[in-house]
Amino acid sequence: MSALALLFRHVPNALSVARIGAAPALGYFAASGSEQLFTWLLVPALVTDIADGYIARRFGLTSRLGAALDSVADALLFFVAIFGVWALHPDVLRAHAVAGLLLAGGWIVEIAAAVVRYGKLSSFHTYASKAAGYLLGIMIGVLFVWGLPPLLLYVAVIVSVGANLEELVLILLLPAWRTDVRGLYWVLRERRRAPP
């Protein structure tokens, strides 16, 4: 394997590690009121959230380590983004408190359930959770660059809560930790086809 091919093989994991590394800096920028620096780091971090998974799937570079790194990076980025909204746009949280509580509460409950069940974050990467992640990333990016369109917030929250509910059901159904589960439909289909 050439050095270039070997290097490319690690791109998805490197993008996840970069998001993990960006989280403390984002937290610092949010806490210090540096909205411009926060935005300039947040937007590329959100883009890498889409890029790492796409590259890994498109070029057959998926791995258990990559799935775990992606889940940790997603969770850290989500929480630091919510902290950024709280610190830099408290008016948005006040105006949409119920949506914010549903969003944060759904993630916290799902993470807690996965840690209790598997001893680590889930890495199901369902279609619904991917859609929720993309919508939330777009919504937070738009908020910090142009301001918040409430319709985008509510669509993102509805999809996210639905994805969290699906993941909670998957946690109940799947006794062992698995990565890249497409969704509840596929798990139920597997169970129906499994020999008794």
Side-chain angles (χ1 to χ4, degrees):
M1 181 179 287
S2 72
L4 185 60
L6 188 60
L7 181 65
F8 184 72
R9 173 155 183 68
H10 297 290
V11 166
N13 291 355
L15 292 173
S16 293
V17 168
R19 284 204 322 280
I20 292 168
L26 284 164
Y28 173 78
F29 293 149
S32 64
S34 304
E35 183 170 355
Q36 189 173 17
L37 292 173
F38 181 87
T39 303
W40 278 102
L41 185 55
L42 177 67
V43 171
L46 293 170
V47 171
T48 66
D49 185 22
I50 296 168
D52 67 352
Y54 173 78
I55 292 168
R57 287 184 300 277
R58 173 70 177 84
F59 297 101
L61 304 173
T62 58
S63 67
R64 289 173 65 90
L65 173 63
L69 284 172
D70 183 58
S71 295
V72 170
D74 288 349
L76 285 173
L77 189 60
F78 173 76
F79 285 114
V80 80
I82 294 297
F83 174 67
V85 174
W86 175 79
L88 301 168
H89 289 278
D91 54 312
V92 169
L93 284 183
R94 280 194 299 273
H96 306 284
V98 172
L101 288 173
L102 284 171
L103 191 59
W107 271 58
I108 291 168
V109 168
E110 190 274 328
I111 286 171
V115 169
V116 167
R117 176 80 161 172
Y118 306 124
K120 56 183 149 186
L121 298 174
S122 66
S123 291
F124 296 138
H125 297 116
T126 62
Y127 291 141
S129 68
K130 288 175 191 172
Y134 295 157
L135 281 169
L136 289 168
I138 291 166
M139 184 267 301
I140 291 170
V142 166
L143 165 65
F144 280 99
V145 176
W146 294 292
L148 180 68
L151 178 61
L152 181 57
L153 168 68
Y154 289 111
V155 169
V157 168
I158 289 167
V159 173
S160 182
V161 168
N164 289 139
L165 290 172
E166 180 184 46
E167 294 215 355
L168 285 170
V169 172
L170 289 170
I171 289 167
L172 291 172
L173 290 176
L174 298 173
W177 185 85
R178 283 175 54 184
T179 64
D180 300 322
V181 176
R182 290 183 282 180
L184 181 59
Y185 167 80
W186 290 272
V187 169
L188 292 175
R189 191 170 72 172
E190 276 177 27
R191 290 166 72 96
R192 282 195 302 271
R193 291 181 176 176

